Amino acid sequence: MQRRPFLLHGLSALGAGLGLAAGAAHAQGSAWPQRGLRIIAAGAAGGSADIVARLLADQLGKQTGRTVIVEPKPGAAGVLAVNELSLAPRDGHALLVGVNSLVSEIPHIVRLKLDMAAEIRPLAELACGGLVMVANPALPARTLAELVAYARANPGKLNFASYTAGTLSHVMGLQLNQAAGIDLTHVGYKGSTPALQDLMGGHVPLMFDGMATSIPLIRAGRIRAFAVSTPKRSPLLPEVPTFTELGYPRLEATAWMGLWVKPELPAPVQAQIRDAALKAIAQPALRDRLGEIGFEAGQPRTPEQLGASLKADYERVGAVLRSIGFQPE
């Protein structure tokens, strides 16, 4: 597609955003915030982005003494939320909370008219978590090794669900096929909820899902966990091994919820916003609440580090999807 070079250009520019607008800082003033704040959540009300945005809003309100309003913006895989931020003034009073897939995955899935990586810049990682491979309890396998053996003995007979075709939950199944020499068939859904319903109903035996939505069902015994994609065992599922532990390091992956801004925002304002977000993440009450909903608190990676990880993830996901001839909608 002709847009891809522009997207890659946007990704390479993520790390440079802090310096681009430094000269404009004095003209616009670097005091932040000067009025109430608005956080756009890239997702539906009650979804993960909305919940994390409200936790952040509570802390920012306490820090700044300003009113902080959260506006959920679902639709078009986060594109509508990004567009909403792009229309806001570049003064740092409109922020975005959304997952890293806005830049690393969505451009591979949806035919876009805008360059996501050029429209938004990550300032802070608010929350993180991996994916977990889960199954219907009726599946005759208790471990990943048993599952691989079963799949090899029954080629083409096992399906796996993803919450959306082209996302990490799809890519991880393809990577397991390649690494283990098996033939799981993909079934794409429009969201975790319908996929999990079919998983529990026995209509699809396997799924790669986010921990936040699967953990309550795992703890209730309604689905079984095989492995997690995080580099180390998750404190949320300490009894579940990592894919790396089990001999599949290529399936190591972490999803994260970030705080994003307009890239042209003056550098001093970006620094102030980032500092406020890091202080918010450090609050025990916020960290505890993140754990309750299936997330760990984000790591203090710099915007440059976040930009580099986005570029690497974008290229990795693209390579896997191209290997199966995947085409965006």
Side-chain angles (χ1 to χ4, degrees):
M1 295 182 293
Q2 291 184 343
R3 85 180 64 79
R4 181 161 293 154
F6 295 99
L7 179 67
L8 290 173
H9 173 74
L11 284 163
S12 66
L14 279 170
L18 279 175
L20 289 177
H26 295 293
Q28 296 192 22
S30 59
W32 178 91
Q34 297 178 351
R35 59 180 186 277
L37 300 171
R38 173 186 174 217
I39 301 179
I40 302 162
S48 297
D50 181 47
I51 294 173
V52 173
R54 292 182 188 281
L55 292 174
L56 176 65
D58 179 63
Q59 292 297 327
L60 290 183
K62 292 176 181 177
Q63 282 187 44
T64 65
R66 302 286 185 174
T67 300
V68 186
I69 298 173
V70 175
E71 296 181 5
K73 193 72 175 179
V79 177
L80 296 184
V82 172
N83 186 63
E84 185 76 11
L85 180 66
S86 72
L87 298 175
R90 57 173 193 148
D91 56 11
H93 291 82
L95 311 170
L96 174 72
V97 168
V99 292
N100 59 310
S101 62
L102 291 172
V103 170
S104 62
E105 298 172 25
I106 299 306
H108 293 298
I109 302 168
V110 182
R111 296 186 186 277
L112 301 174
K113 294 182 179 179
L114 75 166
D115 180 345
M116 299 285 271
E119 294 291 338
I120 55 176
R121 181 173 195 258
L123 278 193
E125 179 184 309
L126 303 174
C128 61
L131 268 62
V132 56
M133 185 181 185
V134 291
N136 183 289
L139 186 69
R142 295 293 184 271
T143 66
L144 184 58
E146 291 179 1
L147 173 66
V148 169
Y150 182 82
R152 287 173 178 166
N154 298 273
K157 294 184 179 180
L158 279 181
N159 297 334
F160 77 95
S162 74
Y163 44 72
T164 304
T167 62
L168 187 59
S169 63
H170 179 189
V171 168
M172 287 189 64
L174 300 177
Q175 290 180 310
L176 181 60
N177 276 345
Q178 295 169 355
I182 56 179
D183 185 22
L184 304 177
T185 301
H186 173 247
V187 180
Y189 286 79
K190 293 187 180 298
S192 286
T193 300
L196 288 169
Q197 289 173 343
D198 273 7
L199 183 71
M200 291 184 289
H203 302 296
V204 61
L206 297 167
M207 182 180 178
F208 291 85
D209 189 38
M211 291 187 190
T213 45
S214 279
I215 282 177
L217 301 176
I218 294 169
R219 290 173 176 167
R222 302 185 68 181
I223 58 178
R224 179 186 302 126
F226 283 97
V228 295
S229 71
T230 45
K232 298 180 180 179
R233 290 199 184 198
S234 170
L236 307 175
L237 291 171
E239 71 285 358
V240 180
T242 69
F243 281 105
T244 299
E245 279 182 70
L246 299 176
Y248 297 97
R250 289 176 58 192
L251 274 75
E252 183 179 304
T254 302
W256 49 273
M257 190 78 68
L259 177 65
W260 310 73
V261 296
K262 296 165 73 76
E264 65 271 23
L265 196 63
V269 177
Q270 290 197 38
Q272 289 173 358
I273 296 171
R274 173 175 162 80
D275 182 62
L278 294 180
K279 288 180 180 176
I281 298 168
Q283 298 304 309
L286 188 149
R287 299 173 79 91
D288 290 345
R289 180 62 182 135
L290 287 175
E292 291 172 4
I293 61 173
F295 287 106
E296 295 179 52
Q299 300 299 311
R301 293 192 288 173
T302 66
E304 291 76 17
Q305 290 172 325
L306 294 173
S309 74
L310 286 169
K311 182 177 180 181
D313 288 345
Y314 172 82
E315 293 175 345
R316 177 175 58 84
V317 169
V320 175
L321 293 178
R322 286 193 297 274
S323 74
I324 63 165
F326 182 87
Q327 294 294 322
E329 296 180 357

